[in-house]
Amino acid sequence: MRSFGILSFFAAATSLVAPVLGQSCSTTGVTGTAAAGDPYWLQSIKHQGIAAFNADPSGYQVFRNVKDFGAVGDGVTDDTAAINNAISSGTRCGEGCDSTTTQPAVVYFPSGYAACSWLNSFTFNSAYYYTVLIGDARNPPKLLADASFSGFAVIDADPYIPGGGGAQWYVNQNNFFRSIRNFVIDLTQTPATATTTGIHWQVSQATSIVNVVFEMSTDPNTGHQGIWMENGSGGFLGDVVFNGGKYGMWVGNQQFTVRNVTVNNANTAIFSIWNWGWTFQGVTVNNCQVAFDLTTGGLTQDSQTVGSIAVIDGFVSNTPILVRSSTASNGKLAGALVLNNIHLTNVPTAVTVAGGATVLAGSSGTQVIDSWGQGNVYTGSSTTGTFTQDKIAAPNKPSSLLDSAGRIFGKAHPQYEDFAVSQVVSVRDQGAKGDGKTDDTAALQAVFDQHAGCSLIFVDAGTYLITDTLKIPAGAQVVGEAWSVFLGSGSAFSDQSNPKVVVQVGQPGDTGIVEISDIIFATQAPAAGAIVVEWNIHSDVQGGAGLWDSHIRLGGAEGTNLLVSNCANGTVNDACSAAYLALHLTEGSTAYLEGTWVWLADHDLDSGGSKQITAFSGRGILSESAGPVWLIGTGSEHHTLYQYNLVGAKDHYLGLIQTETPYYQPVPAPPAPFSTNSALHDPTYSGSQTSAWAVNIESSSDIIIFGAGLYSFYQNYDQACLNTTSCQSQIFNIDSGSTVSVYSLATVGVTTSLSIEGSPIIPASANVNGFQSTVTSWTRS
């Protein structure tokens, strides 16, 4: 029996009906009409989402308001226990559970303060798998660590186990599906010299921090740090502000993407201990001592340090040093660096080495670094790179990709904070079940046909079975809850000789806006003919057609028929086909994708032990779009023919992209178990190319790749090939005519890092930079 507080009772009694009387639908979407004093709509709507494959779907609570669990939020009361109860209530995946998709939770914090008086190491156990922490987007609540705080971090995404010898709740590379949004985290009441941390964020793909402000001490001897991230494999954070602190961010992670981060009055804005590659898009640093402080020089796996930092569109003022490395390069690669469009005001030193010489002078006035690099630079078909600490070729940036200030465009995760409750329509209120069993195709289609462009369409938590193409029209603004799932199922999607679209976003020729956030697109095997998402929508407004924190997840989860029980690794089984093509950006489309992971599961998230599976998806992301297209913090993994295929594409910005080759290859080698399809511009494979292309680019122009991590870890599930970097011969192919600029390219396990027309060009062995090999830049000329 659940108890309801006043707010929950009100929400349960509120029926959402749309469209609003007198409001006409529009292909350009809806404008919010909330009154100034209205609470955020997410607080007041009826909450009826379910976890379809939970052991007790009718009894499991997905949405939790912390005030229903006793939190007061007055800035005085210690709300720690109440908040942790809200997070952990019910059977959740915590310590001792490696992963799950069946126990999701959205934990909501109304506006106010949550005073935190921790005892010992007690913190917010946000580590519970599949947890989304959301504050009031209209007036973000403050998490206030009081003077007696003695915990490790205000929010901890992967706790260390006391007495565990360094063991943690999760394997960091498997710490998926979590998000933190709309908070002020205030450390200023804790002792200035204490090593108080805002968020401990050791995570992997499908994770995000959005719209968070960190308040820390400005004492010169402060020990405060906003984010501490010592390990992990991917993720995205954006629209984050750090005020004060010893460090704004203290970070180490294989690959990561940051968009729009501001650091004010910290000692060090960003300290990085190690990585294979990071991309920072839009960095503002004011009144710090160092903007980027990098540990460098480790050229082996055992001595791994920072492999590459790529920064585009930086604004740094009143800060003595822009970039400081710990080790000098001395004429050879020892940590790659790319700086593009960096504006300096009163930054005397641009690039230097700790205790050493200045590499690039700054200025006490103003200065713009157009395009500068450190590391091995390649051009054209030359197989020999040049070590460079100087200007490097700048990419051509089409105006369609840039904002009014000349920066790469970015758009924050839509949260519709100005919407009234009456403008939100629930798909479950309109007849969809989301129980993973009922065919919801007709009910969902009716919602989209009636309410797109009239209302915000809220897809309550659940798994919605789709047996025929679901068409999302222009004007649709769609929000999921704890990654609501659209699950393509049935005979319509099973025949690879007759592929069929599961979700069609706009029809060919459609113009308008479509915004989709917090949705997972998936299939139920067998689905060898499923084109999971076909993206046709074209928007004349930058970022008007986009996905935020939405993913394509194929297999590895309950309800997919792609678990270890029926698709154990090492077998080729037609019943374990998950998709024909994951995502197709068609010729007339435009797209803004932020934090989107296109994953064919390599292991089972729900059966315990993260056991490997063998499933098959023919193709990852195909783009034929004439642009503009922004792929910011995206990944595509384990698809048979390719992870990214750009054919006839124009005006694309990709930063950072991440791929993994299927673990089973070369047994069978591509295209098996699929056949090539020339109509979809499938690449052809020579006898020596026995693994999928991570990236293939043909007949394309003005493609900017600003950060890429392309990895091949196995040959037929055996990792011995990593010892000789021979898991795959070639991984990244560009034809002879496309105009492409590549910066901060990291590869693992491959012989050749970049090929032209299928011929090897850049040997990975010439660019060893730790576990990975790093190419600072490749341009056509």
Side-chain angles (χ1 to χ4, degrees), residues 23-35:
Q23 178 176 316
S24 60
C25 297
S26 169
T27 58
T28 58
V30 185
T31 302
T33 63

Side-chain angles (χ1 to χ4, degrees), residues 382-685:
S382 173
T383 59
T384 302
T386 300
F387 176 78
T388 301
Q389 287 177 310
D390 206 339
K391 293 178 181 179
I392 59 176
N396 181 52
K397 298 178 183 176
S399 60
S400 65
L401 292 173
L402 306 180
D403 65 16
S404 59
R407 301 166 296 198
I408 298 294
F409 173 81
K411 182 175 178 178
H413 184 128
Q415 301 200 67
Y416 309 102
E417 55 268 29
D418 294 330
F419 277 51
V421 172
S422 60
Q423 294 181 279
V424 185
V425 61
S426 153
V427 299
R428 292 201 74 200
D429 273 351
Q430 302 300 308
K433 301 298 184 184
D435 58 10
K437 299 178 292 185
T438 303
D439 185 347
D440 282 323
T441 311
L444 288 173
Q445 193 62 65
V447 174
F448 284 111
D449 289 346
Q450 182 179 354
H451 297 285
C454 293
S455 307
L456 178 61
I457 297 172
F458 183 67
V459 184
D460 314 77
T463 299
Y464 297 84
L465 212 62
I466 298 169
T467 59
D468 199 357
T469 301
L470 176 67
K471 299 179 179 181
I472 299 179
Q477 293 158 293
V478 186
V479 176
E481 182 180 29
W483 296 289
S484 310
V485 180
F486 289 157
L487 184 67
S489 176
S491 59
F493 309 120
S494 64
D495 184 3
Q496 72 161 292
S497 65
N498 184 29
K500 189 176 181 67
V501 174
V502 179
V503 177
Q504 184 185 60
V505 181
Q507 297 186 53
D510 278 359
T511 299
I513 71 106
V514 172
E515 297 172 338
I516 299 174
S517 54
D518 303 297
I519 296 288
I520 282 177
F521 305 93
T523 60
Q524 188 175 73
I531 298 175
V532 184
V533 177
E534 181 185 87
W535 192 270
N536 298 301
I537 188 69
H538 177 99
S539 178
D540 292 326
V541 177
Q542 285 186 316
L547 290 171
W548 290 262
D549 234 319
S550 294
H551 313 287
I552 296 175
R553 185 184 68 206
L554 303 171
E558 288 288 353
T560 65
N561 297 336
L562 294 163
L563 299 173
V564 70
S565 57
N566 51 344
C567 296
N569 70 315
T571 59
V572 179
N573 184 347
D574 289 342
C576 295
S577 292
Y580 187 80
L581 167 60
L583 174 62
H584 185 189
L585 307 179
T586 60
E587 292 181 30
S589 68
T590 63
Y592 181 94
L593 275 60
E594 184 172 279
T596 295
W597 187 31
V598 181
W599 185 53
L600 173 70
D602 57 275
H603 64 278
D604 185 336
L605 295 173
D606 282 320
S607 299
S610 296
K611 299 179 180 68
Q612 286 183 330
I613 62 172
T614 296
F616 301 96
S617 166
R619 300 148 185 88
I621 300 173
L622 167 63
S623 180
E624 301 177 87
S625 169
V629 168
W630 300 264
L631 303 180
I632 297 173
T634 66
S636 181
E637 300 185 274
H638 310 137
H639 307 280
T640 296
L641 277 81
Y642 56 77
Q643 314 314 316
Y644 291 82
N645 191 25
L646 277 60
V647 182
K650 300 177 182 178
D651 296 11
H652 281 45
Y653 171 81
L654 298 82
L656 177 148
I657 60 172
Q658 182 257 325
T659 73
E660 286 186 14
T661 299
Y663 296 173
Y664 60 80
Q665 287 179 344
V667 183
F674 297 88
S675 300
T676 56
N677 183 345
S678 59
L680 286 178
H681 311 290
D682 286 345
T684 56
Y685 290 86

Side-chain angles (χ1 to χ4, degrees), residues 238-272:
D239 304 303
V240 175
V241 177
F242 303 89
N243 293 318
K246 181 177 182 179
Y247 305 111
M249 300 169 61
W250 191 110
V251 293
N253 188 299
Q254 288 177 9
Q255 68 286 320
F256 208 89
T257 306
V258 174
R259 184 191 57 73
N260 191 26
V261 61
T262 298
V263 186
N264 302 311
N265 303 306
N267 289 346
T268 297
I270 297 161
F271 176 78
S272 185

Side-chain angles (χ1 to χ4, degrees), residues 25-243:
C25 297
S26 169
T27 58
T28 58
V30 185
T31 302
T33 63
D38 288 351
Y40 184 35
W41 61 266
L42 184 62
Q43 177 175 318
S44 300
I45 65 171
K46 178 170 61 176
H47 289 285
Q48 52 189 340
I50 62 172
F53 295 100
N54 188 273
D56 180 21
S58 63
Y60 181 83
Q61 185 175 0
V62 175
F63 183 87
R64 298 113 185 269
N65 186 321
V66 296
K67 288 198 172 183
D68 294 339
F69 291 80
V72 178
D74 60 3
V76 177
T77 305
D78 183 357
D79 285 328
T80 307
I83 292 169
N84 278 319
N85 285 340
I87 294 169
S88 62
S89 177
T91 301
R92 302 288 325 277
C93 181
E95 182 181 354
C97 169
D98 61 314
S99 59
T100 184
T101 68
T102 66
Q103 299 162 21
V106 173
V107 183
Y108 178 74
F109 294 68
S111 179
Y113 289 78
C116 310
S117 177
W118 275 261
L119 301 175
N120 300 319
S121 60
F122 200 49
T123 64
F124 287 176
N125 286 325
S126 70
Y128 286 91
Y129 216 88
Y130 229 94
T131 296
V132 182
L133 303 183
I134 301 182
D136 182 336
R138 306 199 72 186
N139 189 12
K142 180 177 288 189
L143 305 180
L144 179 64
D146 75 7
S148 65
F149 179 91
S150 60
F152 180 61
V154 173
I155 301 175
D156 195 340
D158 195 2
Y160 284 87
I161 299 170
Q168 295 172 267
W169 281 21
Y170 305 108
V171 174
N172 64 80
Q173 296 94 333
N174 191 38
N175 200 1
F176 307 142
F177 299 110
R178 58 182 70 249
S179 183
I180 300 172
R181 304 171 195 164
N182 314 325
F183 291 97
V184 176
I185 299 177
D186 192 334
L187 310 180
T188 58
Q189 291 192 14
T190 68
T193 56
T195 55
T196 314
T197 298
I199 298 178
H200 175 218
W201 196 241
Q202 185 174 242
V203 295
S204 192
Q205 289 87 349
T207 60
S208 64
I209 299 175
V210 175
N211 192 29
V212 176
V213 176
F214 297 82
E215 299 289 354
M216 295 172 283
S217 171
T218 56
D219 187 301
N221 297 313
T222 182
H224 294 178
Q225 54 189 6
I227 292 175
W228 188 57
M229 181 194 310
E230 74 277 35
N231 215 326
S233 176
F236 168 84
L237 69 85
D239 304 303
V240 175
V241 177
F242 303 89
N243 293 318

Side-chain angles (χ1 to χ4, degrees), residues 729-745:
S729 59
Q730 302 180 75
I731 198 165
F732 182 3
N733 185 54
I734 303 174
D735 71 2
S736 59
S738 295
T739 54
V740 183
S741 300
V742 181
Y743 303 90
S744 188
L745 167 64

